[in-house]
Amino acid sequence: MSQEVQLQADVGSLSIRGLGAFTSMLATLSADNVAPMALIQMEKLGTTLPTSGAIAERVKTLLQRCSDVRLERLALIIGWRKNDSASLMAGSAGGQAIALLSMCLTNLFRHGDTGLILALEGVIIQDVAYPKIRCEICSGNADGPIQVQLETSISNTLPVELPITKLGPVPDFVVHHAFYTFKWRGWLADYLQLIFVECGLRCDQLVLEACCDLLVLVPASLYVSSTEDVWRPEHIWDNARVSLVALLGPLPRARMSLICEELLGCGPTGHYMDLRTAFENLIKTVEHIARPLTCDCKAEPCDWSQGWYDKAGMRSSTQSCPRKRLWYAIGDALMSGLWSFWIDPGPNATIRPCNGVNFSADWITRAIKREHRSRESLMNIVFTLFDPRGLDDDTTIMTSSGSCTVYPSVIRDLQLPPQQLVTFSLIEGQIVFENRYHKQLQAARARYRPRAKRGLSKVSSFTPSHIGVHPGNPLLTIREGFDVLELQCSVQYAGAETKIDLSDVIRGYIGLQWTSSCSHRVDEPMDISKYRPLATSVASPAAVTGRLGVAMTRWNPVAQFLCCSWGYQAILQKDCCLNCAAEALGIDSDGIDSDGIDSDGIDSDGMSSDGMDPDGVDLDGVDADDMDADGIDSDGMDADDMDSDGIDSINTDSRRMWLNGIIIVG
């Protein structure tokens, strides 16, 4: 007599009405891209793993929770769907147990390695009444994990022969603190404690305070530009750069202190020190605790004073030296903590620092040593804290770690905020579109908007206006792919449609300069003989070579945001006249930057070092037909000695202006 009765059904004989009983479950699994048999097998495996205690009691509630934050402008939801695959697991003890085990394994190991590991030692679990192998086990005497193929049944009369294959040793990086997920509040202090514990040490309050003193000083020494994703110290780059401190809002020190309190449990000590002194103090504090550790470096001894440079692949050899391993782990923690200054977390937010991506901490090192360094954009760096794919595609504008989603706060409304501030919202849950989960939102690629050749109107007095604003709202459409959504943005202007790459706009927005107030009237006419401005629109914010584009977007924060563009150094004219905005953009009275080099890196004679203009035309800047590449005579004027927008150019000389400059009228 059978010891087990299983429910079976002949699907072929079921009517459409009969299939309706499975509709809701199949729809849920299909929406989550989950194989039904995989879910059933996982639930069965969970029945062999009894759970109890306070944490186990919370599992059912956590699996069934649903929440959402709506981004109305994008027609997206961030959160958890009601009745998703996870909530199905809450309906049985086995489902709850395997969900808890999955959470533990994915926090301890890489997602791809979790199938290799189960934490029971030296035993194969069997049920006496039903002789079946229930799970794969690591042998306690083996050098590494073993691979076990499951047998559906074992005969009582024949000897049991299991096809067991020994695998190679587990790499050191498989078990590493970088794969833990932390609750946002206090995560940096917990992360540092874990780093020290793995080395047999204890991270005390003095270390946390030293880390805090260092972190709050770093942003003032790093800069970002919208012409390049470049970070340069002040003494190397004197023109048109935005300090990272400026991106923290009107009270940056207060914001950083509050975030340090939240992440480290302490604020800055208040002792005045420069960045170098704070760095040396951190070394001294950690050195005092790390005295029991000995250096095992073979090539050269550890030198913490050099920061976190990755010389000749030294990071790959850190596993052999406990002192170097500790130092580089501290560097990774500080880097993750640094970028947290720009994150606004929501309730139940989590972070997986470094996320297995061993990017070095040489941003901090370069800031300390005040050296030039090219790096990725701020948006990509923040994304990497939550998704290792953050640096793979520069079109990503929203990404999910599986537990939380991060995105630039500016895309909620697609308009400039009332004051200079760049933040990233961190919301619990995944991206939900049409009741399906997605991992990323990417901006649809679009061709660069052409440079304006002619002004919007012939003017005798060049003053701020709103003639360059597009009518209505931007048209947003979403294309759905596998795990990824693609967002396309377009505007209508002057009867033509212009497609806009939002990732390009956001990167330009991050590097956007904001003017300081001046003593002149905001609507004071611009000196056209000095700056040669060209009134432009959202469709073409930048002007042709030799002209300064002035996007006429007064009183419209949406149009102002869409005029931002990576590759052009832009400044928002706010509480300031246009003349002072041009000066703040970095243009001297002779139209050349103060170092004698044009702001795009071209010599002041308008030619590159190879004797060619940047657009590749002849040496004299004129095509063979004696016409500039934009169709205007080589003297920069039309045949009637008037500029293309009708402004007389007789008094403008032949000087070249900032080739990539845009003033956005606020």
Side-chain angles (χ1 to χ4, degrees):
M1 186 174 182
S2 175
Q3 295 175 313
E4 186 175 295
V5 178
Q6 294 183 349
L7 179 64
Q8 297 182 354
D10 184 359
V11 178
S13 65
L14 289 177
S15 64
I16 294 178
R17 179 173 296 182
L19 285 173
F22 303 95
T23 299
S24 59
M25 178 179 178
L26 292 176
T28 295
L29 298 177
S30 175
D32 294 346
N33 193 34
V34 174
M37 287 305 299
L39 201 68
I40 294 171
Q41 290 171 351
M42 291 290 286
E43 192 271 340
K44 286 185 176 180
L45 177 58
T47 59
T48 67
L49 303 168
T51 60
S52 62
I55 295 179
E57 292 176 357
R58 296 181 56 199
V59 172
K60 182 176 182 179
T61 302
L62 294 175
L63 288 174
Q64 291 180 319
R65 76 189 189 281
C66 59
S67 63
D68 62 73
V69 173
R70 296 181 178 272
L71 304 181
E72 300 291 352
R73 194 69 182 267
L74 304 180
L76 294 177
I77 293 174
I78 298 176
W80 306 110
R81 293 188 355 257
K82 189 175 183 179
N83 298 325
D84 59 3
S85 298
S87 63
L88 293 178
M89 303 299 281
S92 66
Q96 297 172 33
I98 199 63
L100 181 59
L101 178 62
S102 299
M103 184 273 293
C104 294
L105 292 180
T106 54
N107 272 268
L108 291 171
F109 309 100
R110 294 178 187 270
H111 281 268
D113 297 326
T114 53
L116 298 176
I117 303 157
L118 277 175
L120 300 178
E121 244 180 68
V123 194
I124 293 181
I125 295 180
Q126 289 181 268
D127 188 314
V128 176
Y130 308 102
K132 298 180 181 179
I133 299 177
R134 297 296 189 180
C135 54
E136 302 173 4
I137 304 300
C138 291
S139 171
N141 297 324
D143 295 332
I146 56 177
Q147 183 178 12
V148 180
Q149 298 178 1
L150 290 180
E151 298 285 346
T152 57
S153 65
I154 300 176
S155 172
N156 292 327
T157 59
L158 298 176
V160 179
E161 294 183 1
L162 298 177
I164 297 177
T165 305
K166 182 177 176 181
L167 303 180
V170 183
D172 291 331
F173 60 77
V174 172
V175 183
H176 193 272
H177 52 78
F179 304 108
Y180 293 158
T181 300
F182 298 88
K183 291 197 304 184
W184 182 263
R185 177 169 290 277
W187 77 260
L188 186 52
D190 294 340
Y191 189 17
L192 289 168
Q193 289 285 5
L194 191 59
I195 291 170
F196 278 75
V197 167
E198 288 181 348
C199 296
L201 306 173
R202 181 177 179 274
C203 179
D204 60 19
Q205 187 70 13
L206 292 177
V207 174
L208 299 180
E209 291 176 353
C211 290
C212 185
D213 284 339
L214 176 65
L215 286 176
V216 297
L217 294 174
V218 172
S221 299
L222 293 175
Y223 297 84
V224 62
S225 167
S226 61
T227 56
E228 298 176 276
D229 292 334
V230 171
W231 312 80
R232 301 184 182 181
E234 184 175 7
H235 76 284
I236 289 180
W237 195 10
D238 292 327
N239 294 303
R241 74 275 188 259
V242 178
S243 170
L244 288 186
V245 169
L247 305 184
L248 292 171
L251 300 172
R253 183 76 180 191
R255 178 182 174 88
M256 289 188 290
S257 297
L258 288 174
I259 291 176
C260 283
E261 288 276 2
E262 187 176 19
L263 302 186
L264 288 166
C266 64
T269 59
H271 303 310
Y272 175 78
M273 61 182 76
D274 58 17
L275 185 59
R276 165 62 67 176
T277 304
F279 177 64
E280 293 173 351
N281 181 57
L282 174 65
I283 293 177
K284 185 187 303 182
T285 306
V286 176
E287 184 70 54
H288 178 74
I289 298 176
R291 284 178 299 177
L293 301 181
T294 58
C295 177
D296 295 338
C297 297
K298 297 179 181 179
E300 56 182 279
C302 297
D303 184 3
W304 291 357
S305 65
Q306 296 301 313
W308 293 277
Y309 279 126
D310 187 17
K311 295 181 179 178
M314 290 176 63
R315 285 191 64 90
S316 60
S317 63
T318 57
Q319 298 294 338
S320 61
C321 176
R323 288 177 58 85
K324 189 175 292 183
R325 184 167 62 247
L326 171 65
W327 184 242
Y328 273 92
I330 292 173
D332 283 341
L334 291 177
M335 281 305 304
S336 299
L338 173 64
W339 307 122
S340 297
F341 286 146
W342 286 270
I343 295 175
D344 285 337
N348 303 317
T350 61
I351 183 173
R352 199 172 205 182
C354 300
N355 211 340
V357 181
N358 281 326
F359 56 80
S360 68
D362 60 4
W363 282 279
I364 297 178
T365 305
R366 300 282 178 175
I368 295 169
K369 294 180 174 291
R370 305 184 66 79
E371 296 179 2
H372 165 88
R373 184 65 170 176
S374 298
R375 279 299 182 187
E376 297 83 4
S377 69
L378 176 62
M379 182 165 63
N380 285 5
I381 295 169
V382 171
F383 285 171
T384 306
L385 296 179
F386 304 92
D387 185 350
R389 298 174 298 177
L391 297 176
D392 293 344
D393 193 337
D394 58 10
T395 64
T396 300
I397 58 177
M398 181 183 296
T399 189
S400 174
S401 66
S403 60
C404 284
T405 298
V406 62
Y407 59 89
S409 304
V410 71
I411 69 174
R412 280 197 299 261
D413 302 311
L414 293 178
Q415 65 180 33
L416 288 187
Q419 55 192 2
Q420 188 173 19
L421 175 66
V422 174
T423 61
F424 295 82
S425 297
L426 179 62
I427 306 298
E428 181 199 15
Q430 298 189 45
I431 305 169
V432 183
F433 179 72
E434 296 293 340
N435 210 33
R436 287 181 288 272
Y437 288 132
H438 294 273
K439 297 293 185 184
Q440 286 187 345
L441 176 66
Q442 297 177 350
R445 292 188 180 275
R447 301 183 65 179
Y448 280 106
R449 285 170 280 183
R451 296 191 182 202
K453 296 180 179 180
R454 295 182 177 274
L456 298 179
S457 63
K458 297 186 183 235
V459 295
S460 58
S461 178
F462 202 94
T463 58
S465 71
H466 60 275
I467 59 175
V469 174
H470 59 282
N473 293 319
L475 175 63
L476 301 174
T477 57
I478 289 183
R479 180 183 300 167
E480 189 173 9
F482 178 70
D483 275 352
V484 174
L485 297 172
E486 187 178 75
L487 178 65
Q488 181 174 284
C489 176
S490 62
V491 297
Q492 292 282 341
Y493 186 82
E497 182 185 44
T498 299
K499 292 186 182 338
I500 299 176
D501 185 337
L502 283 179
S503 64
D504 172 84
V505 172
I506 294 171
R507 292 166 67 194
Y509 154 73
I510 292 174
L512 176 68
Q513 290 179 267
W514 291 50
T515 60
S516 302
S517 59
C518 70
S519 58
H520 310 115
R521 298 193 331 269
V522 174
D523 57 353
E524 181 172 315
M526 194 173 191
D527 187 343
I528 58 178
S529 64
K530 181 177 181 180
Y531 299 111
R532 296 193 68 199
L534 194 69
T536 61
S537 68
V538 171
S540 299
V544 293
T545 299
R547 304 298 297 273
L548 177 62
V550 180
M552 294 298 185
T553 56
R554 195 175 191 185
W555 302 318
N556 193 305
V558 175
Q560 294 159 15
F561 171 69
L562 294 178
C563 283
C564 299
S565 180
W566 181 84
Y568 298 98
Q569 190 64 47
I571 189 168
L572 178 68
Q573 176 249 342
K574 190 171 183 179
D575 300 325
C576 174
C577 69
L578 289 175
N579 293 311
C580 291
E583 293 294 332
L585 196 58
I587 302 174
D588 292 337
S589 58
D590 61 353
I592 301 174
D593 292 339
S594 57
D595 57 0
I597 305 294
D598 285 344
S599 56
D600 58 353
I602 302 172
D603 294 338
S604 56
D605 59 357
M607 298 184 185
S608 306
S609 57
D610 57 359
M612 295 291 290
D613 283 344
D615 57 0
V617 296
D618 296 336
L619 295 180
D620 58 357
V622 183
D623 293 334
D625 58 357
D626 291 330
M627 296 291 288
D628 287 340
D630 58 0
I632 301 175
D633 292 340
S634 58
D635 59 359
M637 296 179 282
D638 294 332
D640 58 357
D641 286 337
M642 298 291 286
D643 284 343
S644 56
D645 58 354
I647 299 177
D648 191 353
S649 300
I650 295 176
N651 296 325
T652 61
D653 301 328
S654 59
R655 54 180 175 265
R656 297 166 64 93
M657 309 306 294
W658 192 340
L659 305 185
N660 290 332
I662 304 174
I663 295 178
I664 300 175
V665 175

